[in-house]
Amino acid sequence: MKKVTAIYPGSFDPPTNGHLDLIERGSKIFDDLVVAILRNPEKAPLFSLAERRLMLENLTAHFKNVRVDIFDGLTVDYAERVGAGAVLRGIRALSDYEYELQMALMNRKLQPELETVFMMPAEQYSYLSSRLVREVAQLGGSVKDLVPAIVEQRLREKLDPAVKLQHARKSKAGKRA
Ligand code: PNS
């Protein structure tokens, strides 16, 4: 049977438990899944591309058929470059539908052979978005259970310079020991 590679494009700023839930579901139905982080010059992200890539690589290392990449330009062109036949996107609520439908149909217009596959994350993540996670974390709220522990830690380091300093001192001391 023909192998199907899918791309899962997005901003992942930062990756959430909802993204990971979708990656796990996608990894079960596609032969290969490429988590593709968009290099978007129009957005000023909280995490750099390298930081997001590292977090996602760390979080998906146990999936043998998942890899992480960075892309720019059109999603359809990137899909062609990596030989993908499908685009995976998550739909959380009805409110996502209009935007996702528009994107899927535009992608179909640009590349009729490329299919968009929508999957629903687990219901406990149905209200979760990177934007809300950033906002809650920036305002000092807890994002526990919403993002993986390493993302929670990176958010703390990023938003609280004192934590970052402590971390740097510890690793310096560790290197000296
Ligand atoms: O996580 P996001 O920000 O909702 O992801 C949006 C993304 C990256 C899937 C979308 O912005 C995208 O595909 N951008 C690439 C540019 C492109 O192909 N535009 C035309 C498709 S509508």
Side-chain angles (χ1 to χ4, degrees), residues 132-133 136-137 139-147 152 155-156:
L132 278 183
V133 164
V136 170
L139 296 173
S142 169
V143 291
K144 191 175 175 304
D145 300 332
L146 306 182
V147 296
E152 202 187 344
L155 276 166
R156 226 178 289 131

Side-chain angles (χ1 to χ4, degrees), residues 9-12 38 43 71 73-76 89 99 103 106-107:
S11 306
F12 306 103
L38 175 70
K43 271 192 193 171
F71 80 106
L74 288 174
T75 294
V76 293
R89 290 288 291 172
Y99 170 62
M103 259 199 317
M106 180 58 82
N107 284 337

Side-chain angles (χ1 to χ4, degrees), residues 7-13 19 36-40 43 71-78 87-89 92 99-100 102-108 110 130:
I7 57 168
Y8 177 30
S11 306
F12 306 103
D13 186 33
H19 291 132
I37 312 166
L38 175 70
R39 185 195 309 273
N40 189 348
K43 271 192 193 171
F71 80 106
D72 40 30
L74 288 174
T75 294
V76 293
D77 290 340
Y78 175 73
V87 178
L88 173 66
R89 290 288 291 172
R92 293 160 300 188
Y99 170 62
E100 293 297 334
Q102 242 184 344
M103 259 199 317
L105 293 180
M106 180 58 82
N107 284 337
R108 180 179 284 168
L110 295 168
S130 296

